[in-house]
Amino acid sequence: MKSLHIGRVAAVLTVGVLALSACGTDNVVTPGNGGTSAANTGASVTGTLTGTGASSISAAMDAWKAGFESANTDAKIQYSPEGSGAGRKALIAGAVQFAGSDAYLKDEELASAQEKCGPDGAINIPWYISPIAVAFNVEGVKDLKLDADTIAKIFRGDIKNWNDPAIKAANPDAPLPDLAITPVHRSDNSGTTENFTDYLAAAASTVWTDKKSGDWPTALPGENAKGTSGVVKTVTETAGAITYADDSAVTDALGKVELKVGDAYVPVSAEAAAKAVDAATVVEGRSANDLSLKLDRTTTVAGAYPAVLVSYGVFCAHYPDAATTDLVKAFGTFVLSDDGQKQAADAAKSAPLSAELAAKAKKSIDSISVAK
């Protein structure tokens, strides 16, 4: 792996309907030719761009849609937060023009994408960095310090009560009640789940014996809910519940866990998430324009928060016409711009991409072209 040093559809539409528009935008008219002019010159584009995928980026996507549509009054972005796995499947099926995913496409998914995207397939471009909060509902407690082993035991059902000695040992002053713990996990295939289980499998390997996966292990106890908003709502309404979710969706009604990193505990923050991404490496064996990242979940860098997700915009390397290409590139360029990243940070508490990573991501967007 090569080191990468970096600072930081509508749901009611059926796949059949989406597929009718997936190979081109609706009534798109853009200036220029070759699928390059609108994206590179900032000229206004028109038409509808459809995507689906990660629910973790909902707040950021709302901000991006508003900003992009304000600058391109005849353009519209449709995005349905159905989960990362659903997003990747929809792109591969040719049902949408882009996907949002908290996990990059696996090798077999990249191969499958060639049928609709062409021989060069799809590319994964980072556009959102955010910590995964371990959030809980315990009255009178807003902050807990926990190591990875303890967190893994809680979600496996091995630690069943909030006043368990393992929790009390790290939090001697917390008013921990004699209250049952209810773990809550995602019911849908989720990139957040894949990132969280990746963290547990690496940082608590002797306890978390399952491999990382976008699907939660079915043998484990607890409740489930669909989407980021679903698990947060369930925990908010359930005394003693705990979950994992993109930090942007966690309200002040819930407490949050500080993760043990080295000998210190690190609170959830965008800055700490960005520090963890500093140690990322580019996944080898992929195209030069694919920026899939391998994260170091066992980092001991001071102030780094390793339960972090990098969410990707997943695009075809080539689209069938210049109109679609221009619209895709214009939107991607906006998201990766300083303004786009700031709007996401303001709306979702995410960490803006570092200048170096943003430059690489913009180069990848620029590489998208019309199929020959």
Side-chain angles (χ1 to χ4, degrees):
M1 295 184 179
K2 298 179 287 184
S3 294
L4 177 65
H5 302 290
I6 50 182
R8 193 129 131 139
V9 191
V12 296
L13 295 177
T14 65
V15 169
V17 172
L18 288 172
L20 294 175
S21 61
C23 293
T25 53
D26 300 330
N27 301 317
V28 180
V29 180
T30 60
N33 58 65
T36 60
S37 180
N40 295 337
T41 67
S44 180
V45 291
T46 67
T48 299
L49 189 66
T50 304
T52 188
S55 62
S56 61
I57 63 170
S58 291
M61 183 60 70
D62 286 344
W64 289 334
K65 287 169 59 178
F68 183 74
E69 290 172 4
S70 177
N72 300 271
T73 56
D74 293 322
K76 183 176 180 60
I77 306 299
Q78 293 182 330
Y79 184 80
S80 180
E82 297 298 310
S84 296
R88 297 194 304 273
K89 288 179 180 178
L91 181 79
I92 291 169
V96 293
Q97 287 108 13
F98 74 95
S101 179
D102 298 338
Y104 54 78
L105 273 73
K106 300 177 178 67
D107 289 344
E108 56 269 28
E109 291 176 315
L110 285 173
S112 296
Q114 294 176 340
E115 181 178 349
K116 298 294 183 181
C117 291
D120 292 329
I123 53 177
N124 303 274
I125 303 177
W127 61 4
Y128 177 88
I129 295 172
S130 182
I132 299 171
V134 180
F136 58 88
N137 180 356
V138 177
E139 186 176 359
V141 183
K142 290 298 181 184
D143 178 80
L144 285 176
K145 296 175 172 61
L146 297 175
D147 59 26
D149 282 356
T150 302
I151 295 171
K153 289 176 182 178
I154 289 173
F155 279 94
R156 295 195 76 82
D158 298 331
I159 292 178
K160 303 179 185 300
N161 240 51
W162 281 108
N163 62 354
D164 187 277
I167 302 177
K168 292 177 67 174
N171 303 274
D173 298 326
L176 294 166
D178 182 6
L179 177 66
I181 299 174
T182 302
V184 180
H185 61 269
R186 292 279 292 271
S187 60
D188 51 323
N189 183 284
S190 159
T192 307
T193 298
E194 184 164 339
N195 279 274
F196 187 58
T197 56
D198 186 34
Y199 163 69
L200 294 176
S205 58
T206 60
V207 178
W208 194 265
T209 53
D210 296 279
K211 294 181 179 180
K212 74 171 183 177
S213 174
D215 295 309
W216 191 258
T218 57
L220 299 185
E223 297 185 10
N224 65 75
K226 183 177 180 179
T228 301
S229 60
V231 294
V232 171
K233 182 176 185 293
T234 300
V235 172
T236 303
E237 296 174 347
T238 308
I242 186 170
T243 194
Y244 56 94
D246 188 274
D247 188 44
S248 65
V250 179
T251 68
D252 292 339
L254 300 180
K256 298 179 184 179
V257 170
E258 296 183 23
L259 300 185
K260 190 172 186 181
V261 178
D263 295 324
Y265 289 91
V266 181
V268 179
S269 73
E271 294 75 19
K275 280 191 175 184
V277 179
D278 283 348
T281 53
V282 176
V283 176
E284 289 186 338
R286 302 199 163 196
S287 74
N289 295 307
D290 187 287
L291 296 178
S292 301
L293 300 177
K294 173 67 176 177
L295 297 165
D296 181 5
R297 305 297 189 179
T298 59
T299 181
T300 57
V301 172
Y305 186 91
V308 59
L309 65 82
V310 176
S311 200
Y312 299 86
V314 187
F315 302 94
C316 288
H318 307 292
Y319 289 89
D321 56 79
T324 306
T325 303
D326 279 343
L327 188 52
V328 167
K329 295 175 70 173
F331 181 59
T333 297
F334 171 78
V335 168
L336 296 168
S337 69
D338 290 344
D339 284 346
Q341 289 293 295
K342 183 179 185 305
Q343 289 175 21
D346 290 344
K349 300 181 289 184
S350 59
L353 271 64
S354 68
E356 181 180 349
L357 182 55
K360 293 176 181 290
K362 290 173 185 176
K363 185 177 179 180
S364 293
I365 285 289
D366 288 343
S367 74
I368 296 172
S369 62
V370 180
K372 297 180 180 179

